[in-house]
Amino acid sequence: TRGGFLQGRMINVIGMTSVGKSSHVNGMSYHWMMLPDIKPGIVSAEATAAQYSLEMLGIHLGVNFDLMQGQEILDFLERPDIAERVDNLWQNEYGEERFVILDERDGCIGMLQDRMDRMFKHDGCNLLMVDVLSDILRGNSIEAQEDHMKYQKSLLKQGATIVNVLHTKKIYPDPKGNIRKATEYDALGTSSFIQSAAYNIVINRDKMTDDIVMKNTTEVDMPKCRGGITGPAGGWYYDSTNRECYDKEDWTA
């Protein structure tokens, strides 16, 4: 990307179901919310506000709460040394909230856009993360999807940065049982989202392999990268124990 994403642009993260999109996107969100000049607004179609907050806490503290029981989690969070670190996630040093979560998964697209407007204009969220846009628009006509794209473009013109998470259509094995990698053209919904983005990030992972390293390695391609370099973009290795994501080459070394 030659130094990062340009603000006021659209970024799409594209991948098949269960390939690890949410884990990587949550890591991106955490990175951005800890920066001084970025305040993410999260539109979550899969996780409730409580679930999403726990995800952020896990990344922030370097623990996997899925491996802990309910009371064990509460006891852990009440430890004095942990409580101070928890407070640092919710607020910055000036007492300002670092991010806003919207888990309003019911209702029409118009209601969704009203809430996105509020996050951007009222709550001061200059980066909006829509996870998963494919689920939110599922069942709507192409015309309705195109209208939502026009809405997103209007926010971009006002300075918002938008990250859309997109599912792909099901990719079936060939006669030899091999499944090809997903591409940006496999994304569900209107093609306008792919065409209008400044960055398309496509991720693939062999989740059925017996090789534990390969199973936790995500292959990254960037077929569209405004101002940067397109093509294969290496790999990410995800350590589920401490919720850390590494550049595959760095992790291997």
Side-chain angles (χ1 to χ4, degrees):
T1 59
R2 299 191 190 278
F5 299 129
L6 297 172
Q7 293 189 15
R9 303 296 196 278
M10 181 184 297
I11 303 114
N12 291 323
V13 181
I14 306 162
M16 289 184 279
T17 300
S18 301
V19 77
K21 294 187 298 297
S22 291
S23 294
H24 292 303
V25 167
N26 288 346
M28 293 177 187
S29 297
Y30 174 75
H31 170 76
W32 286 319
M33 67 181 57
M34 300 306 288
L35 295 177
D37 56 345
I38 301 293
K39 182 179 180 181
I42 312 299
V43 180
S44 177
E46 294 186 336
T48 65
Q51 291 168 337
Y52 193 89
S53 297
L54 199 60
E55 285 288 311
M56 290 299 104
L57 272 176
I59 297 173
H60 185 64
L61 301 173
V63 298
N64 189 343
F65 288 120
D66 291 337
L67 304 178
M68 303 169 65
Q69 300 299 319
Q71 188 58 49
E72 186 180 2
I73 294 175
L74 294 176
D75 293 341
F76 175 78
L77 294 177
E78 289 175 357
R79 282 170 38 186
D81 58 321
I82 296 299
E84 183 176 352
R85 294 174 61 191
V86 169
D87 290 341
N88 185 50
L89 172 63
W90 308 133
Q91 298 180 338
N92 61 21
E93 62 268 32
Y94 305 108
E96 302 165 336
E97 61 182 0
R98 291 191 185 274
F99 61 100
V100 175
I101 307 173
L102 170 66
D103 63 347
E104 186 71 45
R105 289 165 288 176
D106 298 324
C108 62
I109 295 178
M111 180 181 294
L112 168 68
Q113 293 175 179
D114 287 343
R115 300 299 174 86
M116 290 175 68
D117 265 344
R118 180 175 179 83
M119 285 195 294
F120 177 60
K121 298 174 181 178
H122 180 270
D123 298 325
C125 298
N126 53 1
L127 185 147
L128 299 175
M129 174 80 72
V130 187
D131 183 12
V132 176
L133 180 63
S134 305
D135 289 347
I136 295 174
L137 298 182
R138 193 184 302 274
N140 287 279
S141 67
I142 293 297
E143 290 76 14
Q145 295 181 40
E146 292 285 355
D147 287 342
H148 180 66
M149 169 52 60
K150 293 177 183 177
Y151 165 76
Q152 286 203 8
K153 284 184 175 179
S154 72
L155 286 183
L156 297 178
K157 291 179 180 179
Q158 297 174 64
T161 301
I162 301 178
V163 182
N164 292 315
V165 183
L166 303 175
H167 286 315
T168 67
K169 61 186 180 184
K170 188 176 174 109
I171 300 175
Y172 293 94
D174 63 20
K176 294 183 179 180
N178 300 315
I179 299 180
R180 66 170 175 81
K181 292 171 59 176
T183 73
E184 61 182 335
Y185 301 111
D186 293 314
L188 292 172
T190 173
S191 59
S192 294
F193 289 102
I194 301 302
Q195 297 165 357
S196 301
Y199 308 91
N200 285 329
I201 304 171
V202 184
I203 62 176
N204 284 275
R205 180 173 67 91
D206 186 353
K207 57 187 179 182
M208 299 303 294
T209 180
D210 292 329
D211 187 324
I212 191 64
V213 174
M214 290 303 300
K215 183 178 290 188
N216 288 298
T217 298
T218 301
E219 295 183 41
V220 188
D221 292 289
M222 293 193 70
K224 192 171 186 180
C225 185
R226 188 70 51 82
I229 303 171
T230 58
W236 301 331
Y237 182 81
Y238 184 72
D239 187 333
S240 60
T241 302
N242 60 10
R243 310 300 298 276
E244 287 282 350
C245 183
Y246 304 89
D247 180 278
K248 178 65 178 300
E249 291 185 359
D250 294 342
W251 182 86
T252 302

